[in-house]
């Protein structure tokens, strides 16, 4: 095929990929607040956090300041840095618009980064451009954790920049990339682990090649320093801890050996909710086919890049699982950092590793003959179909989760506010059967919350409210006492379920809360998504039941007597 014709097809492929990316993103732009998106670690937390911080006016507040709306004074630092790009989207736009543009920005740069990385360093063959294009598109539409921004999906772009600098071919573009990425990604939720990998790569060059490459080392130090400056609140809290936090009671290493082995293979084949690569059905089988061919042809030296990626992918799953093995617990009890910081998250490198491995594996098959080229094209198409089928609008609609508007039920909570008729700051509320983020989003002052950390003293205070319910359920007791980021009104009859929609027939028969402690902490009202049949015996009085056709919930408003 003449070069001009190849160039024409390459451009067409890129245009089609961009069009498909636009199709993938379209439901959010079309539906707005009626879109269906992830609830876990998204609607139930982060989106409400951004809005609470915006409404509080505490974006630039000093270190050690608090946000009164949450738990009678949540440390401002729990909401992260004011230099985060996603926080600024929520400062400038409505939550729906901010979320939509955050998704768009992330996926565009994920595509760009993977395409540049593959073209420059892994898939250089001119005729293999379909691999570059379609693997980049597949990577860009993986169902990443939304508030992670470019923490994982930005890693290919960062690796492109670092590898260019490492090869002494860095320009202003690479340095600009390393400068801007920290403003739209998280250090502790992705790039700490990525930069650690870059340091190991530099050390490998020093040991194996005797190449000190000062510019490469300086680029790593530059990006790390920029992250630490941006995350100054986190750095300050680690260096100058004010008081113990909920993280000090984490007990994460509880798995026995065989449970750990099961987790290794679960993570390897299925992935993790925060880095869901959906590699199970297409990429995993292809990866083993490529491995079989390499071993059969004895080309592991020529194909060492693929072998390195294949092994590293498995090693990351092993590391992830064994971080939760019981052998670590004695050491974690002695060294608090091992308990409060999740070093298992090296597996956040897996999206990058898996999709580069996918591309390199496709190239190995591509080079064999035309039949394998057809096979590769089929695999690329199938992977994109798998990812399109997992589009949030499809997946969460099929799962019957509420839309954005149904979840936050703004009009319904306005009715509740109007009925109570008092300034929200004059009383405190808690929720049963629904996430407290809903009340927080609607401006109510809550005693319950879901946050990455908060004062340990508050956790112990709040526990007195739910102590008898925790005694009924060993599972809930372990969940609260040994983790506790969800500081919820747990009810044994409900278990670890926090989203009882209005279609639910669930009822609470024997609620046993310490209402005296609830009132002592300022609590006045409870928003329950299910009826409490023994409310009066538990010193709760039903005031009114609130229905709204645009809400996912029926809200039973109880007042503490």
């Amino acid at each position: 095929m003449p070069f001009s014709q190849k160039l024409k097809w390459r451009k067409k492929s890129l245009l089609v990929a961009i069009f498909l990316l636009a199709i993938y993103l379209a439901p959010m732009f079309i539906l707005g607040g009626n879109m269906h998106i992830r609830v876990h670690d998204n609607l139930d937390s982060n989106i409400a956090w951004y809005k609470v911080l915006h409404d509080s006016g505490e974006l630039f507040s000093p270190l050690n300041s608090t946000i009164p709306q949450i738990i009678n004074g949540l440390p401002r630092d729990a909401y992260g840095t004011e230099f985060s790009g996603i926080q600024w989207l929520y400062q400038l736009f409505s939550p729906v618009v901010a979320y939509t543009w955050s998704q768009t920005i992330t996926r565009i740069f994920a595509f760009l980064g993977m395409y540049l990385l593959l073209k420059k360093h892994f898939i250089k063959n001119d005729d293999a451009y379909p691999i570059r294009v379609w693997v980049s598109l597949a990577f860009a539409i993986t169902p990443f954790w939304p508030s992670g921004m470019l923490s994982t999906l930005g890693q290919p772009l960062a690796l492109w920049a670092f590898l260019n600098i490492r090869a002494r071919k860095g320009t202003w573009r690479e340095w600009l990339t390393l400068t801007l990425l920290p403003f739209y990604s998280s250090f502790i939720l992705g790039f700490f682990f990525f930069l650690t990998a870059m340091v190991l790569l530099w050390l490998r060059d020093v040991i194996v090649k005797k190449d000190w490459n000062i510019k490469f080392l300086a680029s790593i130090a530059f990006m790390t320093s920029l992250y630490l400056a941006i995350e100054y609140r986190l750095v300050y809290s680690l260096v100058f801890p004010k008081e113990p936090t909920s993280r000090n009671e984490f007990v994460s290493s509880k798995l026995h050996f065989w449970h750990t082995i099961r987790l290794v293979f679960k993570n390897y084949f299925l992935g993790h909710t925060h880095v869901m690569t959906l590699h199970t059905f297409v990429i995993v089988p292809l990866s083993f086919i490529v491995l079989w061919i390499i071993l059969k042809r004895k080309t592991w030296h020529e194909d060492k890049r693929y072998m390195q990626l294949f092994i590293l992918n498995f090693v990351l799953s092993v590391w992830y699982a064994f971080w939760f093995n019981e052998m670590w617990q004695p050491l974690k009890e002695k060294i608090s950092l091992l308990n409060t910081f999740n070093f298992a998250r090296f597996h956040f490198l897996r999206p990058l590793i898996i999709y580069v491995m996918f591309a390199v594996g496709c190239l190995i098959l591509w080079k064999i003959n035309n039949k394998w080229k057809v096979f590769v094209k089929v695999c690329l198409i199938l992977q994109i179909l798998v990812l399109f089928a997992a589009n949030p609008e499809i997946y969460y609609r099929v799962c019957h989760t509420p839309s954005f508007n149904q979840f936050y039920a703004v009009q319904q909570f306005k009715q509740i506010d109007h009925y109570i008729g008092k300034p929200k700051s004059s009383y405190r509320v808690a929720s049963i059967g629904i996430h407290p983020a809903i009340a927080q989003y609607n401006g109510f002052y809550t005693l319950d919350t879901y946050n990455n950390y908060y004062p340990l003293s508050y956790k112990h205070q709040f526990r007195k409210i739910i102590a008898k319910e925790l005694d009924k359920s060993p599972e809930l007791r372990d969940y609260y006492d040994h983790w506790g980021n969800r500081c919820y009104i747990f009810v044994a009859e409900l278990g670890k379920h926090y989203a009882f929609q209005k279609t639910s027939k669930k009822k609470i028969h024997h609620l046993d809360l310490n209402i005296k402690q609830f009132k002592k902490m300022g609590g006045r009202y409870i928003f329950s998504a299910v009826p409490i049949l023994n409310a009066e015996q538990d010193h709760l009085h039903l005031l009114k039941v609130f229905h709204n056709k645009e809400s996912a919930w029926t809200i039973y408003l109880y007042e503490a007597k």
Side-chain angles (χ1 to χ4, degrees):
M1 184 184 294
F3 177 75
S4 59
Q5 193 172 351
K6 285 183 180 179
L7 188 63
K8 181 180 178 182
W9 278 106
R10 195 180 309 167
K11 288 181 178 178
K12 281 186 177 180
S13 295
L14 279 170
L15 289 173
V16 171
I18 292 168
F19 175 73
L20 289 176
L21 180 57
I23 294 293
Y24 185 91
L25 293 166
M28 292 184 294
F29 286 95
I30 295 170
L31 297 174
N34 293 318
M35 63 182 173
H36 291 75
I37 60 176
R38 174 187 175 119
V39 173
H40 177 62
D41 285 352
N42 192 37
L43 285 171
D44 69 351
S45 49
N46 293 81
I47 292 175
W49 298 352
Y50 301 133
K51 187 174 186 297
V52 167
L53 184 55
H54 170 270
D55 293 347
S56 71
E58 299 286 345
L59 182 63
F60 293 103
S61 63
L63 293 164
N64 297 325
S65 58
T66 60
I67 297 176
Q69 186 187 341
I70 314 299
I71 65 170
N72 290 326
L74 178 72
R76 159 64 185 88
D77 298 345
Y79 282 148
T81 180
E82 58 267 43
F83 299 112
S84 169
I86 195 169
Q87 182 62 60
W88 274 99
L89 285 177
Y90 282 84
Q91 289 291 125
L92 298 172
F93 304 106
S94 70
V96 169
V97 173
Y99 184 87
T100 300
W101 278 109
S102 180
Q103 286 280 307
T104 303
I105 291 167
T106 301
R107 296 191 185 281
I108 287 173
F109 281 96
F111 177 85
L112 176 64
M114 182 59 80
Y115 185 81
L116 291 173
L117 177 65
L118 295 179
K119 183 178 180 182
K120 181 68 175 178
H121 297 284
F122 291 95
I123 313 295
K124 299 179 181 180
N125 307 50
D126 282 339
D127 71 323
Y129 67 86
I131 298 174
R132 288 196 297 269
V133 173
W134 303 117
V135 171
S136 298
L137 176 62
F139 180 77
I141 59 176
T142 56
F144 73 105
W145 176 52
S147 290
M149 305 164 284
L150 287 166
S151 301
T152 53
L153 294 196
Q155 289 177 14
L157 188 58
L159 184 58
W160 165 81
F162 277 124
L163 291 181
N164 289 350
I165 293 170
R166 177 178 178 242
R168 295 176 172 84
K169 295 179 181 178
T171 67
W172 64 269
R173 295 180 182 85
E174 285 78 7
W175 288 94
L176 181 63
T177 297
L178 300 185
T179 301
L180 295 180
L181 268 174
F183 291 95
Y184 210 75
S185 58
S186 169
F187 185 56
I188 62 171
L189 296 172
F191 269 89
F192 168 83
F193 311 101
F194 178 85
L195 289 167
T196 300
M198 291 300 99
V199 170
L200 293 175
L201 179 60
W202 178 81
L203 285 173
R204 183 254 182 200
D205 288 346
V206 171
I207 296 169
V208 176
K209 299 180 179 180
K210 310 302 180 186
D211 182 5
W212 288 81
N213 202 336
I214 300 302
K215 188 172 285 188
F216 181 34
L217 178 61
S219 66
I220 299 169
F222 169 74
M223 195 179 198
T224 303
S225 300
L226 191 53
Y227 268 115
L228 294 177
I230 289 170
E231 297 282 0
Y232 74 98
R233 293 180 183 273
L234 173 65
V235 173
Y236 181 85
S237 67
L238 291 173
V239 177
F240 305 105
K242 186 179 178 182
E243 61 178 315
T245 71
S246 56
R247 303 184 76 87
N248 288 88
E249 286 191 339
F250 280 9
V251 179
S252 57
S253 295
K254 298 182 289 185
L255 301 185
H256 300 302
F257 178 76
W258 288 112
H259 193 174
T260 304
I261 296 300
R262 288 198 299 272
L263 185 58
V264 169
F265 289 99
K266 178 183 178 182
N267 182 260
Y268 181 79
F269 286 106
L270 301 178
H272 185 275
T273 180
H274 286 156
V275 282
M276 188 61 71
T277 46
L278 296 183
H279 59 287
T280 308
F281 302 110
V282 178
I283 298 178
V284 168
L286 183 139
S287 71
F288 280 97
I289 290 171
V290 175
L291 179 65
W292 174 74
I293 288 174
I294 291 173
L295 296 177
K296 182 181 178 182
R297 298 166 69 185
K298 299 181 180 180
T299 58
W300 46 78
H301 182 71
E302 294 90 331
D303 297 319
K304 65 179 181 179
R305 270 191 169 179
Y306 180 84
M307 296 300 296
Q308 290 166 348
L309 292 166
F310 188 93
I311 293 169
L312 180 58
N313 181 38
F314 184 71
V315 167
L316 289 173
S317 288
V318 172
W319 172 260
Y320 166 77
F322 272 88
W323 183 253
F324 301 109
N325 185 270
E326 59 188 355
M327 68 179 181
W328 281 99
Q329 195 53 39
L331 191 60
K332 288 184 177 182
E333 290 174 358
K334 293 179 181 179
I335 304 174
S336 62
L337 181 62
L338 297 180
N339 207 35
T340 57
F341 189 82
N342 189 355
F343 285 94
R345 286 175 175 157
F346 275 101
H347 75 103
F348 279 18
L349 297 171
R350 290 191 72 221
L352 169 65
I353 300 300
I354 286 171
Y355 276 89
V356 173
M357 181 184 70
F358 182 37
V360 175
C362 285
L363 181 62
I364 291 170
L365 299 178
W366 186 272
K367 290 178 178 179
I368 297 175
N369 56 42
N370 286 332
K371 288 183 179 179
W372 281 110
K373 283 184 180 180
V374 172
F375 177 77
V376 166
K377 290 177 181 178
V378 170
C379 287
L380 291 169
I381 292 169
L382 288 175
Q383 182 61 21
I384 289 168
L385 288 174
V386 167
L387 291 163
F388 258 89
N391 184 297
E393 190 57 43
I394 297 173
Y395 179 81
Y396 292 109
R397 189 180 285 272
V398 169
C399 291
H400 304 292
T401 60
S403 68
F404 190 104
N405 287 344
Q406 290 171 331
F407 185 86
Y408 286 123
V410 172
Q411 292 304 316
Q412 186 177 32
F413 278 82
K414 281 184 178 177
Q415 294 169 1
I416 297 172
D417 177 34
H418 180 74
Y419 177 84
I420 293 174
K422 302 170 186 175
K424 292 174 181 173
S425 60
S426 66
Y427 58 89
R428 302 293 183 267
V429 306
S431 299
I432 292 177
I434 56 171
H435 296 282
I438 299 169
Q440 293 171 359
Y441 184 93
N442 287 286
F444 289 92
Y445 285 58
T446 69
L447 292 180
D448 48 352
T449 194
Y450 176 20
N451 283 102
N452 290 328
Y453 71 91
Y454 57 94
L456 184 61
S457 57
Y458 187 87
K459 179 185 175 183
H460 293 164
Q461 278 186 309
F462 190 88
R463 193 190 192 283
K464 295 176 183 178
I465 300 174
I466 57 174
K468 292 181 180 180
E469 287 294 327
L470 296 182
D471 288 341
K472 298 177 188 178
S473 170
E475 180 187 21
L476 288 177
R477 184 169 63 248
D478 178 69
Y479 187 60
Y480 185 83
D481 289 344
H482 296 151
W483 188 59
N485 280 0
R486 292 192 190 273
C487 186
Y488 283 19
I489 298 286
F490 287 113
V491 179
E493 291 179 51
L494 302 183
K496 287 169 61 177
H497 301 284
Y498 336 106
F500 291 88
Q501 297 187 41
K502 57 188 176 185
T503 54
S504 171
K505 304 299 182 183
K506 189 71 177 180
K507 299 176 182 179
I508 299 174
H509 295 84
H510 303 290
L511 183 65
D512 199 352
L513 300 179
N514 186 338
I515 297 302
K516 184 177 180 181
Q517 175 68 12
F518 177 70
K519 293 173 70 176
K520 181 180 177 181
M521 295 174 68
R524 183 72 181 273
Y525 301 101
I526 285 181
F527 302 155
S528 179
V530 296
I532 303 169
L533 300 187
N534 70 324
E536 292 294 334
Q537 293 95 314
D538 204 38
H539 307 289
L540 292 172
H541 176 62
L542 178 63
L543 295 176
K544 189 175 179 180
V545 181
F546 291 85
H547 304 276
N548 188 291
K549 64 179 182 179
E550 296 179 0
S551 166
W553 327 107
T554 295
I555 302 297
Y556 298 81
L557 177 64
Y558 292 92
E559 183 177 17
K561 297 191 295 183

